[in-house]
Amino acid sequence: QQQQQQQQQQQPQGAVPPHLHPNAGGPGGQQGTGAAPAEAEAAAGGAAAAAADGSSRAGTGDAAAGAAQPPRPPLSVPKEAVPDPVMAMLHEHAAFLHKCGELKLRDLMFAVRECLHADPQMAYHLWVIMFPIVWSTMEKNQQVTLAKPIIGLLSKEYHFKQAHLRPNVIQALLDGIAVSQPQPKLPPELIKFLGKTYNAWHIAIPLLESHVVMFPNDLRCFDALLELYKLLNEDDMLCGLWRRRCNSEVTKSALSFIQTGHLELAQELLGDAPRTVQPDKVSRSEQAMWIEQWVGCTKSLSQWDILEEYARETHNQELSLDCLWRLQDWIGLKQTLSSKVVQLEESPQMLMIKSYMALQESDTLSSDRCTSQAAIAALLRWWQLPEVASKPQAHLLQTFQQLVELREDTRVYADLAQGAAAKQEYPYQEVRDITDTWRLRIPNEWESMQHWQDLLMWRNHIYNTIITAFAPLAEANPQLHQLGYRDKAWSVNKLGAIATFHGHTDTCLSILNTMYGFSAMEVQEAFVKIREQARAYLERPAELMAGLNLLSTTNLDYFGAQHQSEIFRLKGCLLAQMKDTKAAHQSFFQSLYLWKQSAEAWLGWGRLCDELWDKNAAAGMPTPELLEYAVHSILQAVKLGHAPARGLLPRLLYLLSFDNNITASQEVQAQLMAQGAPPGPWLNVVGQAMERSGALELAPWVWLPWLPQLQMALARPEASLIKQILMTLALALPQAVYLPLRSFSFSLRDCIQRSATEFKDKQKQVAQLQSVCLAAQTKAREMPPDADGGVSQAALAAQQQALKAADAVRQMLTSLQHVEHVRAMEGRAFEHGRQVNDAVREKYPHLTTTLDALATEVSRAFVARQEERLLAVVNALLHRCYKLPFAGQHEVPDVLKKELLGVCRACFQDSNSSGKSRRASAGGSSLREEFVRDMHPENPNIPATLERLMDYLKAFRGRLLCEVEDKMSNSLRLEDEAPVLRDLPLVDIEMPGLYAAHVAAGEPPPKDGVVLLEAFGASVGIVRRAGASHRRLAFICSDGHVRHMLVQLSQNVPQQGTEERVAQVMRSLNRMLDAHAQSRSRALAWRVPMAVVIYPGTRLFEEDPSFITYGEAYDVNLLRYGRESDVPINVFKKRCANAAGDMTPHPTAEHIAEAAEKRLVAYHDVCERIVSENVFAQYVYKSLPSSNHLWAFKKTLCMHTALAGLLCRMLLLGGRTPFKVLIAKDTGCMAHTELILVYDERSGMLQNMEAVPFRLTRNLTSFFSGFGVEGIFCMAMVNAAQAILHKNTNIQHVLALFFRDDIVAWSGRRSTSKNTIVSGLKNEMIKSLVIKNSGAALARLREIAPSVAPEEVQHVLVGRESTVIHGVRALVEAATEPRNLCKMEATWHPWF
């Protein structure tokens, strides 16, 4: 009792005592019920012996490499050997356990009540757990009877006293109702009110969503859900809900235009909708939505005069007030505010408008009072918002920024008043400081146009006040006199630039032409205005001539050389788009003549020359001069630090790889030779241009993102230049380059050894074939003629045999030459890599020694143990059984027997294994021997059918898993596993891969220094996933973060290379998403984990402990119901197979159709009886702490799933089984493993091997809800595709470089020299395949991107089906169609 009291005193208030904790034992705490004192005495010997031996075991441990195993302690010892204090302690503990085991439920209730009163969170969760259980035990009539009192309880007014508390009673009640089955029907208006009043937003929204699905004709549920979405600024969900509900194609198209940022088209469509759509075909709420969305589009397009007229005609006082202050109609604003008819809610926006009016009248006291009231109202709204979501908070933060500037406005007015009253010169320091601050405190460029206008339009009014106040100072203080003019011009130009960034070029031109309002402007701001106007015209192909006229009529005498250069550059861009290349060349030349440091001019000229080179080369008339100019211009732009120019480095590497393949047609060559030019082909044009243009003088870090391509290029003709670039890069950034280059050299060494062995074998085969050929030729010559003196039949046969032997010799000689070529290229690449590594070792001896030790110890120390490897092999064999097109009753096929024979020979009979595998226990060895004995194909007792084989493998897997889990906990000690790492001197060692990942994301090197590696975590985690075991290391870094890296061993090297290249593509795509307004505002970005290759087949892979596989939720659900994880697979295969167990149909149309129907019936059977559509939703609900976290998780996962679908569609990536998809439980981010592309063996084109374009199964769609799929998923894909295909992105160059390396690796895998980096294809064929595959990938992207042609508006208005997002909708339908899903393999788990 004293111990219990001490424990309770040490616990924090509200904590559950250990003996009452639900994890302390079984149901009711009955774990220790049968533990009698006599039994405790019997077990005392083992505990005492273990305690006595603990020090010796802790000192040596099972993990010490090469150390002998200490003798195991006996399971029991005599009672006399146990010390008396230990025995007394065990007696006391046994009595305590016995007492706890006798507790009844009534004994616990008092303690539970005390805890509930002390801890609101415990009371909340207990109610949410208990209410659904009690509700489910009631009869149907009892539930109906209780529904009305529940509604009355929720409607009580006294709950409002708790509205500010977190959690509160309403949250608990609603949460309990939400998880009850069946849910009691509550009035939707009540749910809406409770959700927004008691901060139960994300409890009320799922409730209403389920009500909308269950009662589709109840418009009240629909309207309530719409209002909650609107209050939380969940625009995508709102549009998705409307797209499911609306009856008109006009509504669907307009919403699609709005979500993709094409507001002009949406405004036109919505404005014409009331005249073209029959009113009886749409509901009133839909018509009201047209008006609401039209008003929003008009606000964003800054058409406030139109809005003011509409507000006046419709008597919309709130909209009228919003328009009047922007139009600076202060008289009308004052009359409207003073009107008694106007009675509006005292919202922060209305209070700010009153503050604007008070400032206009110089009433700073009233303005301060209104600003304070608005701040209080905004804070109250902030407290009512959910804790985790970000969009509603962002909207309120914008309001707070306006309130801060209103406070500063009163200081400006006070400073101006003091200056006017001063008798001597006044400095106006307050005005100067505030206006300078405003230039720095601006919104993000991807934020909405309405917020930009809210800020800058009001600032313009303050600037007008400053201009009026400083008007008398024109001669006395000209600099102060120009302050207002300069800042107003800057804000107008900035607003115009933001309008262009959002794609609203009409708005940009209107703002630049009308908002400034003065005839005079500073030279700098006048230049900015002209530049922004020209940029707007560049985005309007129909008005390029207007932009050219603007620049041509500009008086350049007012501007300096730098500004003149920019004007000529813009002129060149306009001329290039108008296809006047000669004039464009002249303009770019003039621009650079005026200012050679113009990086944008260099880049524009380089792009023009590159486009002309491609055009001429496609026509058979290549002009190497244009290619040289393009290379020189791009490198000059990169040298000047221009970020978009760095995006063209993959283009240079691609051109360099085909530098010796520049040929012209015969007619063009004849013309060139007639003019005295050297004949083609031209050699090393790009290489020489890069050397002359200073490619080696660039900042070394710009080449770091393309390190894999530089390494691969060492085996190609451009190796001499690449070696110099690599040498510069390695000496400047040794830690970012050394480990990958070291691993690349090791893989080359292995390739050279294989090539040497193959070369010797080929030589022997050639010698044998030559001897056979010589014998055949001799035999043919010695054959006697026939009786007539002619050639006999035997002689003819001998001659044919000799010809065949000669052909075989020629083919073998060709193969031998190829092997010799491969050896030479690999040897040269290995020599280049060795020289670079030697240079790094010579310059940084201590650094390279440390990195070598780190890589070696990681590769050695974290090898899976024998039992773990055996478990992985057994799991792989089970997976192979599942993939076979046979049901359980089918006999074991021969192909599987061959695999079993290979497994028995290769994996389990190797008695010479080294390292940690020697420390296998006797149990592991016996299991190994048993498996080899039972599974050897020569064993007569081997299972005869697949079902029996799978049963044996599953039972053996269970035994192995118990063996592994008993011997190894979830973590190991680093000092036992890798003592070298513990003692490694980490002096100035950077975090591996972090610098390279930072630079690869498009960012320049960090100015505050690199992140250093301080230490390794003391614990090494064990990650068991899909039968495989990995070790997880914790890297403690100097920035305070702990980064977790998975040690992945025995990786497939070609697959590892493909994943590395796909990661490069994703990083490049992320830069494109960041540069686009719609994708950046949604925070769309692929998660690209760091990966550091430290040895061929071994890498460090970044993975946070919060990551799980998507399949884990599936396994947890099946285990919950006592089912094995393969039950759905077996049921599906059994239903699809014939009587013999064969699932392969006969190749006739009738049998194929019958097999398809069987698969569809089997798919529906599994969905209805075994795997429900809520498995994943239930798992996530139980894993996350609150409904707010669940909502944020759902949105993030939905967007990441959409991005994964886009990538899978673009690159035709397949095989996305649940155990290859990783999901972060804390954020919802998604990552993928085992990415590989499949090429057609004949055509060399990417091949789609699956019936669905990407993974969007029923559990995912159920979790996201139909509104989420329509509103978030589809629009995330559409906006990402739109950003990638935006003008001036480098997507075509990134894809070309990606396909070049991937096709080379694919051809290397197909060649006789397996896994070589030297392609067996010629450069011409590789280039053709790259162009075809890149074009096909871009075509698939264009199918997803929105159709935003102006003709689409008229197309929809005449009543046709909308095609704005037709491509993505077709893909979603194909991905969710059951007839497509049932065609997938059973291991793909289409039902999940």
Side-chain angles (χ1 to χ4, degrees), residues 944-1159:
T945 63
L946 269 179
E947 184 176 6
R948 292 181 59 190
L949 177 62
M950 288 189 293
D951 289 341
Y952 176 85
L953 290 174
K954 286 187 290 186
F956 197 84
R957 181 181 62 179
R959 292 172 58 191
L960 269 176
L961 191 58
C962 292
E963 181 83 12
V964 170
E965 291 180 347
D966 287 344
K967 292 182 180 179
M968 302 172 62
S969 60
N970 292 328
S971 64
L972 304 171
R973 296 197 306 173
L974 181 70
E975 60 181 352
D976 295 337
E977 297 294 308
V980 175
L981 288 184
R982 181 197 60 184
D983 302 329
L984 197 66
L986 301 175
V987 180
D988 296 332
I989 300 297
E990 300 174 8
M991 172 65 203
L994 188 60
Y995 186 92
H998 179 83
V999 174
E1003 300 292 335
K1007 297 180 180 179
D1008 53 351
V1010 296
V1011 177
L1012 299 179
L1013 180 59
E1014 297 285 345
F1016 296 96
S1019 298
V1020 178
I1022 299 179
V1023 180
R1024 298 187 180 95
R1025 186 173 294 156
S1029 295
H1030 305 284
R1031 305 296 187 260
R1032 181 187 282 129
L1033 285 177
F1035 290 76
I1036 303 172
C1037 303
S1038 59
D1039 60 351
H1041 289 84
V1042 178
R1043 293 174 171 86
H1044 298 270
M1045 305 290 281
L1046 214 61
V1047 182
Q1048 295 182 338
L1049 303 169
S1050 302
Q1051 291 286 304
N1052 187 346
V1053 176
Q1055 178 182 314
Q1056 185 174 293
T1058 300
E1059 290 186 1
E1060 188 177 43
R1061 287 186 287 273
V1062 173
Q1064 278 186 311
V1065 172
M1066 288 193 288
R1067 288 192 182 99
S1068 299
L1069 297 180
N1070 281 343
R1071 293 197 291 271
M1072 303 173 200
L1073 297 182
D1074 285 343
H1076 194 265
Q1078 295 301 319
S1079 56
R1080 184 63 184 85
S1081 63
R1082 290 172 171 82
L1084 295 179
W1086 280 273
R1087 186 191 180 276
V1088 189
M1090 293 187 299
V1092 183
V1093 181
I1094 59 176
Y1095 199 82
T1098 303
R1099 66 175 180 176
L1100 296 173
F1101 185 80
E1102 183 186 17
E1103 184 180 301
D1104 194 80
S1106 65
F1107 271 92
I1108 61 166
T1109 61
Y1110 176 58
E1112 287 184 29
Y1114 173 78
D1115 287 342
V1116 168
N1117 178 264
L1118 291 177
L1119 289 175
R1120 177 185 176 189
Y1121 293 102
R1123 298 171 181 157
E1124 294 184 350
S1125 59
D1126 62 347
V1127 169
I1129 297 176
N1130 294 331
V1131 170
F1132 180 80
K1133 293 175 71 175
K1134 186 175 181 180
R1135 293 292 300 270
C1136 295
N1138 55 22
D1142 193 352
M1143 297 175 60
T1144 306
H1146 293 288
T1148 60
E1150 182 180 355
H1151 286 89
I1152 292 175
E1154 182 182 355
E1157 287 301 321
K1158 279 186 175 181
R1159 296 183 74 93

Side-chain angles (χ1 to χ4, degrees), residues 69 223 279 466 555 571 651 656 671 782 1063 1093 1190 1365 1382:
Q69 287 275 356
D223 293 335
I466 294 174
N555 189 351
K571 189 175 180 181
R651 172 64 173 170
L656 186 62
Q671 294 176 6
E782 293 177 353
V1093 181
L1190 178 62
I1365 57 171
C1382 70

Side-chain angles (χ1 to χ4, degrees), residues 7 23 32 55 71 75 92 114 138 210 279 296 341 369 374 403 649 714 804 927 1049 1056 1075 1122 1209 1222 1346 1378:
Q7 290 174 357
N23 293 331
S55 59
L75 296 178
E92 185 178 356
E114 291 296 322
M138 295 181 179
S210 63
V341 181
R369 184 177 64 255
L403 292 172
L649 286 178
L714 291 177
K804 290 181 180 178
L927 286 172
L1049 303 169
Q1056 185 174 293
R1209 179 58 182 167
L1222 302 177

Side-chain angles (χ1 to χ4, degrees), residues 796-979:
L796 288 175
Q799 289 176 3
Q800 291 179 357
Q801 186 178 3
L803 290 175
K804 290 181 180 178
D807 288 341
V809 170
R810 281 194 296 271
Q811 292 177 4
M812 187 58 64
L813 286 174
T814 302
S815 177
L816 186 65
Q817 291 175 358
H818 173 69
V819 174
E820 179 62 24
H821 171 70
V822 168
R823 285 183 60 195
M825 298 295 285
E826 290 175 342
R828 186 176 65 176
F830 176 77
E831 185 62 26
H832 289 326
R834 185 187 62 79
Q835 292 175 6
V836 175
N837 272 336
D838 289 346
V840 177
R841 290 191 185 100
E842 183 179 354
K843 187 174 181 180
Y844 306 99
H846 172 73
L847 176 65
T848 54
T849 302
T850 305
L851 292 178
D852 283 334
L854 188 150
T856 304
E857 183 68 4
V858 168
S859 302
R860 182 201 66 81
F862 301 113
V863 179
R865 301 187 181 181
Q866 190 179 69
E867 296 89 340
E868 294 175 314
R869 295 202 304 273
L870 181 57
L871 178 62
V873 171
V874 171
N875 195 78
L877 286 173
L878 257 177
H879 190 264
R880 184 75 177 100
C881 294
Y882 297 147
K883 288 181 70 69
L884 290 173
F886 305 110
Q889 65 267 31
H890 195 278
E891 64 178 6
V892 179
D894 293 337
V895 62
L896 189 56
K897 290 181 179 178
K898 290 181 180 179
E899 292 184 12
L900 285 173
L901 180 61
V903 166
C904 292
R905 287 178 178 175
C907 298
F908 306 116
Q909 293 181 352
D910 184 11
S911 60
N912 299 320
S913 58
S914 59
K916 291 197 172 187
S917 60
R918 297 191 178 201
R919 295 181 287 113
S921 65
S925 299
S926 62
L927 286 172
R928 179 197 66 190
E929 295 170 0
E930 179 184 348
F931 185 88
V932 173
R933 182 180 62 253
D934 294 344
M935 288 291 101
H936 201 284
E938 298 177 358
N939 180 13
N941 296 324
I942 187 172
T945 63
L946 269 179
E947 184 176 6
R948 292 181 59 190
L949 177 62
M950 288 189 293
D951 289 341
Y952 176 85
L953 290 174
K954 286 187 290 186
F956 197 84
R957 181 181 62 179
R959 292 172 58 191
L960 269 176
L961 191 58
C962 292
E963 181 83 12
V964 170
E965 291 180 347
D966 287 344
K967 292 182 180 179
M968 302 172 62
S969 60
N970 292 328
S971 64
L972 304 171
R973 296 197 306 173
L974 181 70
E975 60 181 352
D976 295 337
E977 297 294 308

Side-chain angles (χ1 to χ4, degrees), residues 1319-1337:
S1319 173
L1321 303 176
K1322 294 183 178 180
N1323 257 7
E1324 297 87 349
M1325 188 176 295
I1326 293 176
K1327 188 174 183 180
S1328 174
L1329 290 178
V1330 167
I1331 293 173
K1332 291 179 182 178
N1333 279 289
S1334 300

